[in-house]
Amino acid sequence: MTQITRRAGLALTALPLAAPPLVGQTLTRLRVSVIPVTDVAPLHAAMRLGHFAAEGLEIDTSTTAGGATGLPGLVAGQFRVVFSNTVSILLGIREGLDFRFVAGAAAGNPAPPDIFAILTRKGSNIRSGRDLEGKRIASNTRNNIVWLRGMAWVEKTGGDWRKVTTVEVPFPQMADALAAGQIDAGIFSEPFASGALVSHGERLERVAWPIIETAPGATVAQYVTMKDDLERNGEVFERFARGLFKGVDWVNERRHDPALLDLITAFSRVPVERLRQTALPTYPKAVTPAEVQEVITTMARFGMGGRFPAPASLIFRTANG
Amino acid sequence: MRALARPSSGFLLILALLLLWEVSARFDWMNSPNWPPLSVVLAALARDSLGGELPLLLGGTLWRMFAGLLAGGAAGVIVGLLFASLPVTRRLFGLTVELIRPIPIPAIIPPLVLFLGLDNTMKVTVVGLTAFFPVLTNTMQGVRAVEADALAMGRTFGIGFWRRSLHIVLPACLPYVFAGFRVALALALVVTVVAEMIAGEQGVGHYLVLMQFAGRAPEMYATVILLAVLGYGLNRGFLAFERRALHWYFALGAQRN
Amino acid sequence: MDFLELEGITKEFPSRSGPPARVMERVSFSVREGEFMAVLGPSGCGKSTLLQMAAGLLPPSSGEARIGGRRVDGPPPEAVYVFQQYTRSLLPWRNVRDNVAFAVEHRIGRRRARAAAEVQLAQVGLAGFGDHFPWQLSGGMQQRVAIARALAAEPALLLMDEPFSAVDALTRLDLQALILDIWTQRKLTVMLVTHDVEEAIYLADRIAMLTRRPTTLAEIVEVGLPRPRDPIATRELPRFLELRHDLLGKLLTRHAV
């Protein structure tokens, strides 16, 4: 069935056909867990353009909307590579799981529009973290990067994050929940932030870009794999990173090009007209010790502290930029 | 079908609810783009059905559902027969079964991924586990309801244990086994779709979540309608099959009444 | 020559509290080869229990039953038990032919068993009813099916447990005539349990009278009526009336105590 979904997706896109894969070479199959968001556009671009096939790799993506099975699946050997948010990765590492960064994936933008936004109801007069004390804020999950960036904003704008109640609401339901008054604010990621403003524009408004206001351009997500696998098959992951980075280049050259939106539509099924209003993330190749340390430091401020290995030791050579 | 043709009150209620759906969405009573009119949903349903995407996904979902239902149901019948006819097996395994039974199966899908992966093996296992228990319980009840005289009849003609099990106990339990399967069938469709929603990239369940995340409410509700109709159709089909397979049982019931 | 011998048969059933309940106390008597023996006793006296022990369906607590000189230890091939409740011992999912064939198909295969079934059905007056299901027939016809099934196994000894108690009076006369015919033609040995005094006198060569619980053998009565017997004339003979008076009196006394 995965084949069918993807083929249906292919039919929707008008991309130039892929470069011919190496003939007569058996491809190494690599199963990658992804989430259907704009962050993974470079991976899909590299697949579509044949950059992985050229490296002798066959990438088999497994899209899980919630992402709940990604990192557990990596530990269990279901996946060789997992796209995940930095906080979830680091929490796994804190618990002794040997995740290693093989490539960067997504980060915030240095200036608006950014990929995370905090939305409130018009007329509710909630403008800051202080206003949110005793109120309810929605995050798609607690203890992930969305929540962390949201709490950092609450603190930065004078609120005590412990006095703000976090409610877990899936992104697709967040705008309705906010408009209906079940929550007082929501930490949205794209394309849900722009989507909410289009569909509920007369009732909702954006009050903040939390990453820009707390740590502009800070990291959001990476590709990780298991340390054991890297030690045994490091060369496979070098090929993976080479292919992926060509996809990153392709995407970065076309940030407002219809071809990129067609690509994203094909795997995420988000209509092109909505994507036109969507902010895309920054697509880095590398993972730096400083950006990992920033997340570790921030996590410690919001109840997720602990002992972590030195960030540099968590980054595989492919992600050294 | 006859019931559908007759304008019974039940059918009218459904029509009224569908009409309320259309009207409430047209006039935006819900104040949300996530509540599209029925007509838009039906158009999406037609588009995705004719395009071939939904039928193919549905085929995969049904395949997984039936594989799990048959495997889990068959295991339920066999274990049920064993538990009921050989008390020692029940003493050995009964507690294990009773401890697993109350676990809400969808809740253990993420850890099951660790052992069984994301694809058919995991999903068929999950559906099989779901189907196993109602069939097991009903089979055991069925064995207890087998006439002692029928069993003694088998013995007086010198018919051995296995043949008695196959030709007396099993057919006599079948009405109970079918009742178990009817419950299992309804659960199996739900659990298959839930498993597909949680893990992997397969079937109607995954499509449902993908459409939800893509903000495509009409497609999402189209899938929900499709599942409702499918569930109804499966149940009706099963009842018809049951009536044929157990014609003697229904004839006996009619006689008693 | 004695064909069925019961020697010192005692039966106890475990009781939930206290010592086991003794329902039968050292019952001993024999049935000669080719003889028609009736067992008569007040209801609830354990007549059926005794018959089941003779058939090897129930082990005695002490004492033993012998058939053809061999100790009964499980259902013996020479004996077939005919149940009181034909609705419980006939298989409702099999048609009449296949119900009869069931007695022997495990020995001679389904095809030959079906051919044999047709012969037996003709013998009991049910030629042409093979395709019917038991529940489509009257009670009397169903008991004929059960008799045909017993005959299909070609037993030397027929153990009948109040076989005519569930049918109306006229049908009972028919079935009694039928069983006498078969007994004569096939030179069977029959032990028939009944609480109907007239039935016992009309059918049997001898009558074993049992007491109330704990059941013991009270006496054995020689019937001494000429054969062939006639459903009307035999019942008007002075010896018949005398026996009826005598046995009914004893039965009533024992019942009252």
Side-chain angles (χ1 to χ4, degrees):
Chain A
M1 291 319 288
T2 47
Q3 292 308 316
I4 289 152
T5 321
R6 204 159 306 126
R7 213 171 299 135
L10 255 175
L12 287 169
T13 178
L15 280 178
L17 258 186
L22 298 183
V23 182
Q25 183 189 335
T26 46
L27 300 178
T28 305
R29 202 154 168 267
L30 219 55
R31 194 157 204 199
V32 184
S33 164
V34 293
I35 297 175
V37 291
T38 53
D39 302 15
V40 295
L43 181 82
H44 285 275
M47 283 166 67
R48 197 62 50 75
L49 297 165
H51 294 315
F52 289 120
E55 295 285 346
L57 294 178
E58 184 193 349
I59 301 296
D60 172 20
T61 61
S62 177
T63 304
T64 309
T69 53
L71 292 173
L74 181 64
V75 175
Q78 291 298 322
F79 306 117
R80 302 288 292 281
V81 181
V82 167
F83 165 88
S84 184
N85 79 83
T86 322
V87 171
S88 298
I89 296 167
L90 286 171
L91 285 175
I93 289 171
R94 191 185 71 179
E95 300 309 315
L97 300 172
D98 282 329
F99 300 142
R100 292 294 179 270
F101 298 101
V102 283
N109 296 322
D114 202 7
I115 52 172
F116 289 178
I118 291 176
L119 271 57
T120 60
R121 257 186 321 284
K122 277 185 179 166
S124 70
N125 283 324
I126 295 172
R127 299 261 148 230
S128 66
R130 189 180 198 92
D131 299 337
L132 264 171
E133 285 185 356
K135 300 248 165 43
R136 292 149 64 90
I137 191 166
S139 178
N140 68 326
T141 311
R142 213 175 213 284
N143 294 356
N144 69 356
I145 193 78
V146 177
W147 184 79
L148 183 76
R149 298 300 182 202
M151 290 305 113
W153 174 81
V154 166
E155 191 186 53
K156 176 100 178 187
T157 54
D160 180 350
W161 65 278
R162 284 173 232 271
K163 293 183 182 156
V164 178
T165 308
T166 301
V167 185
E168 290 195 2
V169 179
F171 286 129
Q173 278 80 51
M174 220 179 257
D176 280 339
L178 183 55
Q182 286 147 359
I183 48 176
D184 302 298
I187 317 163
F188 286 72
S189 86
E190 285 288 52
F192 300 98
S194 54
L197 289 174
V198 169
S199 61
H200 297 72
E202 74 281 13
R203 276 171 295 161
L204 305 185
E205 63 181 333
R206 181 180 52 240
V207 296
W209 305 108
I211 305 179
I212 288 176
E213 290 173 34
T214 59
T219 193
V220 167
Q222 287 81 19
Y223 292 94
V224 286
T225 187
M226 296 306 290
K227 181 179 162 224
D228 289 358
D229 202 3
L230 281 174
E231 282 168 358
R232 273 196 310 269
N233 307 300
E235 165 271 340
V236 170
F237 294 97
E238 284 176 351
R239 279 147 60 197
F240 170 78
R242 270 200 301 275
L244 176 67
F245 293 159
K246 286 180 185 150
V248 174
D249 290 336
W250 187 88
V251 168
N252 281 335
E253 285 156 19
R254 288 169 182 75
R255 286 193 64 97
H256 297 288
D257 191 316
L260 175 59
L261 300 188
D262 283 342
L263 173 94
I264 297 174
T265 291
F267 70 78
S268 73
R269 311 300 286 273
V270 177
V272 174
E273 54 274 21
R274 265 190 65 195
L275 286 176
R276 282 199 199 100
Q277 287 141 352
T278 298
L280 298 179
T282 299
Y283 294 107
K285 293 178 185 172
V287 182
T288 65
E291 74 183 61
V292 175
Q293 187 57 54
E294 184 269 326
V295 177
I296 292 175
T297 309
T298 313
M299 282 167 69
R301 292 217 311 272
F302 298 97
M304 292 186 282
R307 294 175 60 83
F308 291 91
S313 70
L314 298 173
I315 301 167
F316 188 57
R317 57 180 179 269
T318 49
N320 280 334
Chain B
M1 290 321 284
R2 239 176 294 125
L4 266 182
R6 203 181 327 120
S8 61
S9 50
F11 186 55
L12 286 177
L13 177 63
I14 291 172
L15 271 183
L17 286 174
L18 292 179
L19 191 70
L20 180 67
W21 177 352
E22 179 74 21
V23 170
S24 67
R26 286 277 168 214
F27 292 97
D28 202 17
W29 293 349
M30 307 295 287
N31 259 327
S32 167
N34 289 328
W35 185 241
L38 176 65
S39 49
V40 175
V41 170
L42 291 180
L45 181 61
R47 201 166 50 241
D48 281 1
S49 300
L50 295 176
E53 181 171 13
L54 265 181
L56 278 169
L57 293 171
L58 198 61
T61 299
L62 284 177
W63 179 89
R64 277 181 285 280
M65 185 198 82
F66 277 115
L69 185 65
L70 290 181
V77 171
I78 291 167
V79 175
L81 289 178
L82 276 177
F83 273 19
S85 31
L86 299 174
V88 65
T89 57
R90 189 167 188 192
R91 276 200 298 277
L92 270 174
F93 302 110
L95 183 64
T96 313
V97 168
E98 288 308 313
L99 283 176
I100 298 174
R101 184 206 301 275
I103 298 177
I105 299 292
I108 59 165
I109 290 176
L112 267 183
V113 169
L114 293 181
F115 306 103
L116 299 170
L118 290 157
D119 297 325
N120 289 333
T121 318
M122 183 275 285
K123 285 163 196 162
V124 171
T125 306
V126 164
V127 178
L129 267 176
T130 308
F132 175 74
F133 291 104
V135 175
L136 171 79
T137 315
N138 278 275
T139 304
M140 285 174 65
Q141 220 176 358
V143 175
R144 279 196 286 274
V146 176
E147 296 289 355
D149 278 4
L151 288 170
M153 181 275 290
R155 289 177 62 208
T156 194
F157 290 114
I159 296 167
F161 174 81
W162 292 109
R163 197 178 164 79
R164 284 204 305 275
S165 300
L166 194 67
H167 287 275
I168 301 175
V169 179
L170 185 63
C173 297
L174 269 189
Y176 291 83
V177 171
F178 267 78
F181 264 97
R182 204 163 54 227
V183 175
L185 178 70
L187 292 175
L189 181 62
V190 172
V191 170
T192 309
V193 172
V194 167
E196 289 171 346
M197 288 173 79
I198 293 177
E201 224 174 34
Q202 294 175 308
V204 175
H206 174 252
Y207 179 83
L208 196 65
V209 175
L210 194 62
M211 288 305 145
Q212 200 184 3
F213 270 73
R216 299 174 83 149
E219 281 82 356
M220 199 193 84
Y221 283 107
T223 316
V224 172
I225 289 182
L226 189 69
L227 285 173
V229 172
L230 181 70
Y232 179 78
L234 282 172
N235 191 45
R236 288 301 286 249
F238 185 86
L239 288 178
F241 172 63
E242 188 182 27
R243 283 212 161 251
R244 276 182 76 94
L246 299 178
H247 66 100
W248 57 271
Y249 180 73
F250 289 98
L252 274 177
Q255 239 172 32
R256 282 196 202 109
N257 299 333
Chain C
M1 206 188 90
D2 292 339
F3 188 62
L4 167 65
E5 300 160 88
L6 304 174
E7 195 180 303
I9 296 224
T10 299
K11 186 65 186 172
E12 291 173 343
F13 288 111
S15 73
R16 213 163 273 174
S17 56
R22 178 162 293 197
V23 297
M24 190 167 290
E25 183 90 52
R26 278 182 304 210
V27 171
S28 302
F29 65 89
S30 299
V31 185
R32 298 182 202 113
E33 188 164 1
E35 187 180 25
F36 202 124
M37 169 74 88
V39 178
L40 188 63
S43 42
C45 78
K47 304 184 292 281
S48 298
T49 308
L50 181 66
L51 201 66
Q52 283 176 30
M53 288 188 282
L57 294 172
L58 198 67
S61 303
S62 66
E64 66 178 37
R66 285 188 298 275
I67 290 177
R70 267 177 298 134
R71 184 197 164 106
V72 172
D73 184 20
E78 303 92 330
V80 164
Y81 192 100
V82 178
F83 296 85
Q84 177 182 12
Q85 299 284 347
Y86 43 81
T87 50
R88 291 189 191 151
S89 80
L90 292 176
L91 306 177
W93 52 89
R94 285 183 170 236
N95 65 22
V96 163
R97 182 188 305 106
D98 288 344
N99 259 289
V100 176
F102 190 64
V104 285
E105 66 186 19
H106 61 293
R107 294 209 302 262
I108 62 173
R110 181 163 272 201
R111 207 169 53 84
R112 286 174 60 201
R114 281 183 172 158
E118 293 291 357
V119 175
Q120 304 301 342
L121 283 171
Q123 165 109 49
V124 299
L126 288 178
F129 281 92
D131 288 326
H132 286 66
F133 283 86
W135 34 269
Q136 293 170 320
L137 305 180
S138 70
M141 289 164 97
Q142 290 188 51
Q143 192 58 295
R144 282 170 193 261
V145 176
I147 291 168
R149 180 176 62 188
L151 295 176
E154 303 197 333
L157 172 64
L158 220 46
L159 300 162
M160 306 183 88
D161 182 11
E162 306 203 28
F164 314 131
S165 60
V167 296
D168 65 82
L170 275 177
T171 309
R172 189 175 311 154
L173 293 184
D174 277 350
L175 289 172
Q176 287 169 351
L178 174 73
I179 209 70
L180 278 181
D181 274 355
I182 291 166
W183 171 69
T184 316
Q185 273 179 35
R186 302 212 176 185
K187 306 199 181 342
L188 294 169
T189 306
V190 175
M191 181 157 92
L192 177 138
V193 158
T194 183
H195 62 264
D196 178 344
V197 173
E198 288 194 28
E199 180 170 275
I201 303 167
Y202 175 67
L203 291 173
D205 295 321
R206 289 190 297 156
I207 299 170
M209 294 279 292
L210 301 181
T211 64
R212 297 183 62 205
R213 281 188 185 198
T215 307
T216 53
L217 178 67
E219 60 180 316
I220 292 199
V221 180
E222 283 281 349
V223 173
L225 286 166
R227 291 192 190 270
R229 293 183 185 166
D230 179 85
I232 299 164
T234 300
R235 282 182 163 85
E236 290 166 348
L237 293 172
R239 171 65 180 158
F240 187 97
L241 298 173
E242 178 198 339
L243 272 174
R244 197 185 87 154
H245 181 91
D246 191 23
L247 296 182
L248 210 49
K250 286 174 177 166
L251 214 54
L252 275 173
T253 323
R254 290 202 182 100
H255 188 73
V257 169

